[in-house]
Every structure is written in C-alpha cells, then in structure tokens.
Amino acid sequence: MINIASPKRPIGHPERALDCEEALSPAIAQLAEDDTLGEEEIEAKLVEAGLEVGWEEGELRTAIADLRRNAALGLQGLSE
C-alpha cells in the first residue's frame, strides 16, 4: 500500500504545491525500492494514490515533475 498524506491546505493556497511534494516524497522512496517498476508505473501509482486522498491530478503531476528535476540536481532520491 502506498501511503500519501492528504492535503493540509485548500486548493489555491500558496504552500499547497510544496505540501504535495512533501506528501509524495516518502511514497516515491517506497516505490523506488521496487526494481520491477519503471518511472511511468511509479508515476501512475503515485497519481492514483494521491487522487484517493484528495490531491488534484495536475498538482500531483507537477509535484512529480518538480521532484524529478530536484533529483537530477542531486537534491532527492528520484532519477529523471
């Protein structure tokens, strides 16, 4: 089971995007341990789990893309 925290703030709040990234980070680390999953599968699972707890699809995909960029810069554990 993928554990993603639900949103703490309403849609439109300036800190919501950062909250989404923080909510996704533990789930990304968990899914990255599964060598059988590709990046597209990981993203699909993250989006599905995030939608279930109240995130919007667009903000999930944006957060995932931002986390990938950060990883490319060596700031996170997800590769681009």
Side-chain angles (χ1 to χ4, degrees), residues 17-76:
L18 180 59
D19 291 346
C20 189
E21 288 183 27
E22 290 174 352
L24 288 171
S25 290
I28 289 171
Q30 176 188 356
L31 290 170
E33 292 177 6
D34 186 343
D35 294 335
T36 66
L37 296 175
E39 284 191 36
E40 290 179 11
E41 293 167 306
I42 290 173
E43 183 170 340
K45 288 181 178 292
L46 291 170
V47 170
E48 180 181 352
L51 289 171
E52 288 177 8
V53 296
W55 294 101
E56 299 288 316
E57 183 172 354
E59 65 190 343
L60 288 162
R61 293 195 185 278
T62 298
I64 292 165
D66 289 347
L67 289 166
R68 278 195 180 118
R69 276 191 288 284
N70 291 344
L73 296 173
L75 301 175
Q76 297 286 335

